[in-house]
Amino acid sequence: MTERAGSGRARGRTAVLAFVLVTVLAAGGVWFSQAPDRASAVDAAPKTAAVQDVKEDAQEDVQGPGGLPGVRDCGIGKPAVKPQAITLTCADAGMVATAITWDRYGAREAEGTGVVQVDKTAAGVGTDSGFPATFRLYGVKTIDGTRAFTGLEVTYDGSTPFGDTTEMYNLA
């Protein structure tokens, strides 16, 4: 009897292992098949023409007076001082902080308010939505010879995209 019980367990483990392996391979296939979509998702982010213009203008103001640190959108490019838009989910650009007005922007920390725009297709929510939030930049480091904030804390002012009241993002 013990041989059969052990044999049954081995078959069960084999079945579970096969299921996990097939699931991982299928998920990997979906991930790689969508690579071109992810690469072009930044263009389809939930940004209005005004926000796109603001981001382009902000890129020109790379290192402001007094050497204030900037923000490298998705951790690339030159840091923009006092950006009015920051991409939060760089893989699919499904969440973008927009219409940011900075109440305080210093050498070690910055704080402002704006709206987190959520694209329904990229983020998996029901509709394109905007969520008022407060933004805090922190963690200044020198990256590629320029000072940049490396962390972003988002605190929502009410309803939120995924039920969290506070989210942290790495900007490095």
Side-chain angles (χ1 to χ4, degrees), residues 9-27:
R9 285 186 204 150
R11 279 189 230 134
R13 285 187 205 138
T14 302
V16 169
L17 181 60
F19 174 76
V20 168
L21 183 61
V22 167
T23 303
V24 168
L25 289 174

Side-chain angles (χ1 to χ4, degrees), residues 95 116 118 123-125 129-131 156 158-164 167 169:
M95 294 177 63
V116 174
V118 179
V125 294
S129 304
F131 300 90
Y156 293 96
S159 66
T160 64
F162 303 109
D164 298 329
E167 296 174 341
Y169 294 93

Side-chain angles (χ1 to χ4, degrees), residues 108-110 136-140 148-153 168-169:
R108 293 179 183 242
E109 201 173 74
R136 184 178 71 89
L137 295 168
Y138 61 93
V140 176
F149 289 107
T150 60
L152 172 65
E153 177 182 81
M168 307 296 278
Y169 294 93

Side-chain angles (χ1 to χ4, degrees), residues 7-98:
S7 176
R9 285 186 204 150
R11 279 189 230 134
R13 285 187 205 138
T14 302
V16 169
L17 181 60
F19 174 76
V20 168
L21 183 61
V22 167
T23 303
V24 168
L25 289 174
V30 169
W31 174 262
F32 285 114
S33 71
Q34 293 177 348
D37 294 338
R38 286 193 307 275
S40 63
V42 173
D43 296 333
K47 299 179 253 179
T48 64
V51 171
Q52 290 173 351
D53 290 342
V54 165
K55 282 185 80 168
E56 290 170 9
D57 292 344
Q59 291 297 329
E60 294 172 6
D61 186 15
V62 172
Q63 203 67 14
L68 291 174
V71 174
R72 297 174 66 201
D73 201 29
C74 291
I76 57 174
K78 294 181 179 180
V81 176
K82 296 184 181 181
Q84 294 178 333
I86 302 170
T87 305
L88 302 179
T89 54
C90 296
D92 61 8
M95 294 177 63
V96 179
T98 62

